Structure formats: C-alpha cells, structure tokens
Amino acid sequence: MPARRASNLLRPALLALLALLLAVPLAAAGTLDRAGMERYFPAPLVVGERDATLPVWPILKQEAGSYEVFAYAFESIDLAPIPGFGGTPPDLLVALAPDGTFRDVRVVSHHEPVFLEGLGSEPLFAFVEQYVGMSARRPIRVGRPNARGSGAAPQTTVDGISMATASTRVINESILAASLAVARAKLGFGAANVGLKVEARPDPGEAPTVAELTARGWLRRLTVSNERAEAAFRDAGVAGAGDGPAAAPLIDLTFAYLNVPAIGRTLLGAERFAALTRELGPGDHAVMVVSHGPENPLGEDFVLGSIPDRLTVTQGGLAVNARDMAIERRGAAPALPDGAWTILRITGAAGFDPSAPWTLTTKLVRERGQIFPEKIAREFSADYALPADLFVREAAEAGPSWTDPWRARGVELGVIALALAGLVPVLARQRGLVADRRRFPMFRLAYLAFTLLFIGWSAQAQLSIVTLVGLVRAATVTHDLAFLLYDPPSLLLWAFVIATLFVWGRGTFCGWLCPFGALQEFVAWLAKPLRIRQVTVPPRLDRALRLAKYVVLAGILIAAATGSPLADSLSEAEPFKTAITLYFVRAWPFVAYAIGLLVLNLFVYKGFCRYLCPLGASLAVLGRLRLLDWIPRRAECGSPCQLCKVRCRYGAIGADGRIDYPECFQCMDCVTIIHDPGQCVPEVVARRRGRRIALQPVAAE
C-alpha cells in the first residue's frame, strides 16, 4: 500500500533525525568581543576590560580628567538565556547605568518567527528602544499596543506589539532578568524579597495606643530642623532652611506600616482599617505618611493616586514603587498630630518585605539662580523595622512573566476550552449529530467559522511547524521548553491535538481546528458559483505528491537540528503566518504565495494540506500511533459500493474501501453516509430486500 511504503521510507529518516537531535550540542552564548562592543559604543566612550567573573563590559566616559563608569554593557543571552518562540533565546545588548537606568537596549540576534520576514525587525527594534531611560529598579510590564498613550505609567510599562505578545514578553523577561543579575552584582540592589511571600499575621486581639506604637518604634517620625536643612545646602550656596528658629522643624513626618492589624486599627480605627484591607489587593502593602511641618513633601499640586515626587520607600537599595491610594483621608487616630497625609500602596509585584528593614526618604528642593534657575535637592531618611514575629513568611509562587498572558487571556482560554469540550461528544457519538445529514453540515460550517474567526484571527492560536522548530532548537540549544508557556491558546490547542492524535489521528486538527484549513474550505465554496471544476489528480501523481510534505518536514527539522538558519526559510512553506497571524499584511511575495494556495484550492481541493503542509505531515506520522480504526465500514464498502470513495474529497478512501487514516481529515462525510439509511447504498439495497446488515471494522491502510 502507498501509505505503508511511505511509512517504511520515513522510519529510517526519523531515526536519523533523532540521532542528530541527540548529537548536536549547540551552546547559547554572547557573540560580541571587544571590537563588537566598540562598534556599539564608539569614541568618546571607552570599552573597559571585561569582568573576570561576570560577562559584563564597563563602558567608560572621561569626566574632569578621569574615567568614570558610564554604563555596564552585557548580552542578555549570557545571563538570562530564556528561549523565545523560535526555541532559542533572543540576544539583547543592554547598557545599564550605575543608577540602574537603561542607557541603551539593542537587538543583537533573534529567531522570533513573527519578526522574521513577518512584521519585520523594525517593530522589534522600536520595542526595545522604549526601555531607554527606564529603571531596572522598577518592575516593567508589557502592556497592550499604545498602552502608554492610553494612560499606563511610562515608568513601568512598555507598549506591546499586536500579533507578537508571546515574543515581546520573552524579550521583556530576558532584559529584566539579565539586568537584575548585573544590578545585584555591580550596583548593589535588587536582592530584596526574591521568591518570598510575607504577610501580616492575623490580629491576636492587641489594641495598643498611639503612644505605645511610638514607644515600640512601630510608629516612626522623620524630623528635619531648619538648622539641619541649612547645613545640608551650605555647600551648594543656597539657603536651605525656612523661617523660624534653628531648632524648629522644617520637615516633620510621622509614618507607619498599616497592614499589621495592631497598627492599622489603632491609627485608622476598626471601620477604616477594614475598608483599607478590602481595597488592598492580594500581597499589597500600605504605608501611612502624615506631614506636620511647614514643608509638605506632598506639595500643593499633588494629585491623588499619583506617585509622590518627594517621598520614596527603599529597601535593600531598591526604590519601591509606592503610589498614593486616593482614598478617604478622614478617620485617623485623634492622638496623631494634624497635617496632610497619604496612604501609599506598594503592590505585591514590587518584592517588598515588610518584615525586613526599609527606609522612608523625603527630598527637599531649592533653586539657585534667577534667569535659568538650577534645582538643588537634598535627601533625608529614617529607617523603619518591625519584629519578624508579626509576619508569616512563606515561599511565594514563582510568578515569572509567562504567568501574565495566562491571566490576561483567561476569557479566550475559557471560550476555546468550551469549544473543544463541545467538539468531542459530537465526533465521538457517531449516531448523534454526525448521522443527521441536514444539521451536521450546518454545525460543521459554524465550527469552521469559529476556528477561522476566533481561534485564528482573534486568539492568534494557529498551530504551526514553527513550534516544532522551536522544540528541536530547545532540544539542541537551551533544553528549556518555557517558551511554549507564553502562548496559552496555542498550548491548549496543542494539548488537545496531541491527545486526539492517539484516538482519531491527524484529522481532528486538520479538519476542525486549523484556521488556514478552515479558510480553504470557505474559499472552496466559491468554486461552484464560479463554475470551476475540480481537477482529479491521477492516482500515481497523487501518491507521489503526498510524499512531498514529508520531504519538506524532514528538511525543516534537520535544518533546525543542525542550527541552520535555513529552518526559518523552509518554514515559510506554511502560509499560516501570512494568512492568519499577519492578516495578509506582509511583503508581496508571501501574500502572493498564500493567495496562490487559496486559488489552487479552487481547482485541487485542499492541495496544500494534502501535498505540502509540513505540520500536517508531522501529525500524520504521530497519528499512526492512534488506538482506534474509528470509521465504521461494511463488507460491501469498496466492493461493490464506491459511494464513500467518490464523495471523499481528500482521497483518503481506497478503491477497496479501506481508510488511509494519515490522509483522513475527519470531515465525517463517510460516517454520515454509512449511518444514513437513505444514503448508504448497501443499506438501501438491504432494506428493499427486507434484510438488515451490520457494520463491521475494516483494517486501515
């Protein structure tokens, strides 16, 4: 049989490919030497000596006759080799200033499929440029496209890229993970509360007074006198003090951590504390700051809900993102002095550990000069610490950035999961909806429309040979499959498709869940009104053409296993990226190819799927492990009845009535026919003769 011969030919090829996968030990490492670094950092900057213990290059700049560190430059792949959606880590050149801000971020190399002859690399270059000026001291998240223009904080958010959410999240995590590794080693920050969840213990019933909180150090005061302020600004040649005696306070702040019930209830009262607890998110923290002095660090123009310019919470050298909560300001303890006050929210993502010492810093600003005044700032700080027994400490969930898309795409995942759950009983109960020749075709068309419009164009969950290329590269380079987690809808579909491979074979994906396959089916509908006659491919040519997709598959996987960039080019045999991922918005050769395949489909039904699709070939190979020959047959199938063979537009039924399961797309047309007493020829004949005939399994090809 042709399929059996193909299987015999493919077996040694697959064994050879497996040997290649095990034999090629490629390494992921940076590629820039000193000359490469000097191209990115030309004179007057100077590239110093590479660090002996960490793959970091100091970039020096001459200041006042001596060289000072302008930035630390490094490649992300050396410090955070996180696999991208192409299976290999992107390599980003990052220049980190001594204060933790990004001087520069460049793309050195990448294998992200959507940016390779897809969107092009320009959107990726523009994406990483957003990091310049941002700080590694703050968590940075990838928002939606134009998120910053829609009000997201530009200090902590970068605009995402449509159709590239998985890739941009991987790149964001690569930049931040590598930068924090350098920051901890070189800049002395970023080590606080890593992988730890710290929460206040439930209230033991204690109700201390404000005086008792002050005596314990749970309510602290930061006071800066006129004399101290004047001394701080003396070297700048400006007056730093306010009006009044030298010993009088200029800045006078009272502050405390509120999550501990004994503190929060005393300062806010039971009702207001309960309201605060409800408003805080899981893992969030609240810090109260009340200003009593004449110099208010909040400022007259302070906007509720914003980040105070002159108040900073730091821990372990890391500035923690603390934002005003914009809640009701009345109801504080009467024993607290009057004054303007704020409650600062610190989100759980900030890595803040309230059981460890932290610092509140206030900034005093003065101006020097009249025509072009120069702002001079001085900072004043007070430490704060609470007993460790007030808190429960436990290992936090890892929470890497791949968890974000799972939360953000929960609705899409739910819809797809429901659709998959609804498909299983329809396909499994052959005497149910499938047997109804009027209702089942309508159900199939509706499901294919869902596959094309929602799974494909909306959820961007078109499965692709690119994923297999990524798996091969992961096996040979990174040994890390985490890149799959950045695309939840596709991963859900992969899990379902792999499970159904062992039950029904290739057809569940190719016939029901492939958006491009669905698009071809709808285009094929145009053949009838356009009066286009389908071309019958001669059997011998048909058998030869069916082997072509296996050749394409082998070429792609071998190229990927040997580290050849040819794998990305060969993967373009699929038109999925053009037609589904990029909505045909692409360079004209790719669009012409995709449209050409759709036009071919008008003459040769699903010609791409049958003859060229490398993903279909891989599923056909794995589908040979299926457990069931699930399509019912009769003894008369093939001899004398040829109805199912004639009706099968995929050519998956032989002249003897046997099913070629690796070529079956599970359209269920033959199942509908065999269960319909008005269509199945042997049953029609038997009824006329007053007999009943039974279904029986027939061995597959």
Side-chain angles (χ1 to χ4, degrees):
M1 296 295 176
R4 191 167 294 161
R5 286 198 300 270
S7 177
N8 292 336
L9 288 172
L10 284 170
R11 190 174 291 111
L14 292 174
L15 290 174
L17 177 61
L18 179 60
L20 271 174
L21 294 182
L22 298 175
V24 182
L26 300 178
T31 59
L32 297 178
D33 55 11
R34 174 181 290 278
M37 284 289 176
E38 288 175 344
R39 285 195 297 271
Y40 285 101
F41 303 101
L45 298 176
V46 176
V47 178
E49 293 298 324
R50 189 177 190 222
D51 192 277
T53 59
L54 200 66
V56 176
W57 298 81
I59 308 300
L60 309 176
K61 184 178 181 181
Q62 192 170 20
E63 294 285 350
S66 62
Y67 284 99
E68 295 184 358
V69 175
F70 173 76
Y72 291 100
F74 51 92
E75 293 177 76
S76 64
I77 199 169
D78 286 328
L79 300 161
I82 301 170
F85 209 64
T88 56
D91 189 13
L92 294 310
L93 175 63
V94 181
L96 198 64
D99 64 354
T101 58
F102 292 102
R103 296 280 195 193
D104 200 2
V105 180
R106 304 279 190 94
V107 179
V108 177
S109 65
H110 73 92
H111 289 279
E112 296 307 293
V114 72
F115 296 116
L116 293 172
E117 297 295 347
L119 294 173
S121 293
E122 287 74 16
L124 178 57
F125 297 157
F127 173 78
V128 301
E129 285 176 2
Q130 297 178 89
Y131 289 84
V132 177
M134 301 180 75
S135 176
R137 293 174 178 265
R138 293 181 173 181
I140 299 174
R141 296 292 180 185
V142 179
R144 296 181 179 275
N146 198 34
R148 299 203 286 190
S150 302
Q155 302 91 347
T156 58
T157 307
V158 290
D159 293 340
I161 302 175
S162 296
M163 302 170 285
T165 54
S167 294
T168 52
R169 290 180 188 277
V170 169
I171 289 167
N172 180 64
E173 185 172 4
S174 300
I175 293 171
L176 296 184
S179 298
L180 286 177
V182 173
R184 292 180 185 125
K186 295 294 183 182
L187 310 183
F189 73 81
N193 198 22
V194 176
L196 192 65
K197 180 180 178 182
V198 184
E199 292 183 341
R201 291 187 183 276
D203 182 25
E206 185 183 11
T209 64
V210 170
E212 289 172 335
L213 292 179
T214 303
R216 296 177 185 179
W218 298 3
L219 182 66
R220 292 294 313 274
R221 203 153 186 169
L222 169 56
T223 302
V224 179
S225 66
N226 284 318
E227 183 179 19
R228 184 181 172 191
E230 186 67 28
F233 283 93
R234 189 169 295 136
D235 63 336
V238 295
D243 298 330
L250 176 64
I251 297 175
D252 193 4
L253 305 179
T254 298
F255 63 103
Y257 177 77
L258 293 179
N259 290 54
V260 175
I263 302 173
R265 260 206 292 266
T266 298
L267 298 181
L268 299 180
E271 185 176 342
R272 287 292 302 122
F273 177 71
L276 173 71
T277 303
R278 289 192 298 270
E279 190 160 342
L280 287 173
D284 289 357
H285 310 275
V287 173
M288 171 191 259
V289 181
V290 185
S291 175
H292 324 294
E295 188 83 21
N296 179 10
L298 296 178
E300 296 180 357
D301 299 328
F302 176 69
V303 178
L304 297 182
S306 65
I307 299 175
D309 291 333
R310 302 185 184 183
L311 281 179
T312 307
V313 175
T314 59
Q315 187 172 58
L318 176 66
V320 179
N321 189 3
R323 180 181 295 275
D324 177 79
M325 288 190 67
I327 61 175
E328 181 63 47
R329 304 305 168 111
R330 294 176 297 180
L336 281 177
D338 291 333
W341 57 292
T342 178
I343 293 180
L344 302 175
R345 184 206 300 263
I346 301 172
T347 65
F352 180 69
D353 179 1
S355 68
W358 52 272
T359 301
L360 180 73
T361 300
T362 184
K363 185 187 296 182
L364 190 60
V365 179
R366 295 290 185 259
E367 291 187 352
R368 179 170 58 190
Q370 295 181 350
I371 300 177
F372 298 105
E374 176 188 3
K375 289 188 176 181
I376 309 296
R378 295 292 182 266
E379 293 183 344
F380 305 91
S381 303
D383 295 332
Y384 188 91
L386 291 173
D389 58 9
L390 294 177
F391 300 92
V392 176
R393 299 165 62 89
E394 59 185 27
E397 297 181 2
S401 67
W402 61 258
T403 61
D404 292 343
W406 286 85
R407 290 190 293 266
R409 308 190 72 177
V411 173
E412 291 175 337
L413 290 170
V415 172
I416 294 175
L418 287 174
L420 298 178
L423 180 63
V424 170
V426 171
L427 299 181
R429 294 185 67 251
Q430 296 186 2
R431 292 188 179 273
L433 182 60
V434 173
D436 191 324
R437 63 176 172 177
R438 287 182 297 273
R439 291 191 301 146
F440 179 68
M442 295 191 319
F443 170 81
R444 177 166 168 77
L445 284 177
Y447 205 96
L448 290 176
F450 168 80
T451 295
L452 174 61
L453 299 175
F454 188 82
I455 292 180
W457 283 333
S458 177
Q460 291 282 291
Q462 168 76 67
L463 302 191
S464 170
I465 192 65
V466 168
T467 304
L468 299 187
V469 170
L471 289 173
V472 172
R473 284 173 171 162
T476 57
V477 179
T478 64
H479 309 291
D480 188 348
L481 301 180
F483 71 95
L484 296 171
L485 300 173
Y486 288 87
D487 190 3
S490 295
L491 186 58
L492 174 61
L493 279 177
W494 272 116
F496 181 82
V497 168
I498 291 171
T500 56
L501 276 175
F502 297 104
V503 180
W504 292 307
R506 161 195 184 179
T508 309
F509 170 74
C510 296
W512 291 90
L513 297 172
C514 177
F516 187 75
L519 179 60
Q520 289 183 94
E521 295 217 24
F522 286 117
V523 170
W525 269 53
L526 297 175
K528 188 172 184 179
L530 293 175
R531 298 183 180 181
I532 297 174
R533 295 185 62 181
Q534 291 277 305
V535 175
T536 300
V537 181
R540 181 173 294 181
L541 178 59
D542 178 73
R543 288 193 295 270
L545 290 176
R546 288 179 190 271
L547 294 178
K549 59 180 176 287
Y550 298 103
V551 175
V552 175
L553 171 66
I556 291 172
L557 296 186
I558 290 173
T562 55
S564 170
L566 190 61
D568 298 313
S569 300
L570 291 176
S571 296
E572 293 294 345
E574 282 185 343
F576 303 164
K577 186 193 301 182
T578 301
I580 304 300
T581 306
L582 300 176
Y583 312 106
F584 292 98
V585 181
R586 204 177 178 193
W588 73 264
F590 299 101
V591 175
Y593 174 66
I595 293 177
L597 291 176
L598 293 175
V599 172
L600 171 67
N601 178 62
L602 292 171
F603 298 91
V604 180
Y605 186 69
K606 284 201 168 181
F608 167 75
C609 302
R610 292 157 61 187
Y611 303 136
L612 281 177
C613 181
L615 179 62
S618 66
L619 296 179
V621 172
L622 295 174
R624 294 180 182 277
L625 301 175
R626 74 185 186 286
L627 303 176
L628 305 174
D629 289 345
W630 54 272
I631 298 178
R633 301 278 81 194
R634 302 186 190 279
E636 295 82 359
C637 291
S639 179
C641 183
Q642 293 282 309
L643 180 61
C644 290
K645 177 186 183 303
V646 172
R647 293 274 187 90
C648 182
R649 294 183 289 177
Y650 302 95
I653 301 179
D656 59 357
R658 298 191 182 201
I659 307 297
D660 186 0
Y661 281 93
E663 299 299 328
C664 174
F665 283 64
Q666 205 170 355
C667 68
M668 308 297 282
D669 284 352
C670 61
V671 179
T672 301
I673 290 172
I674 208 165
H675 285 300
D676 185 353
Q679 289 191 85
C680 182
V681 175
E683 191 161 334
V684 170
V685 173
R687 280 196 317 153
R688 287 176 180 173
R689 296 177 179 176
R691 297 187 294 108
R692 293 191 63 185
I693 56 177
L695 293 172
Q696 62 184 34
V698 173
E701 262 191 44

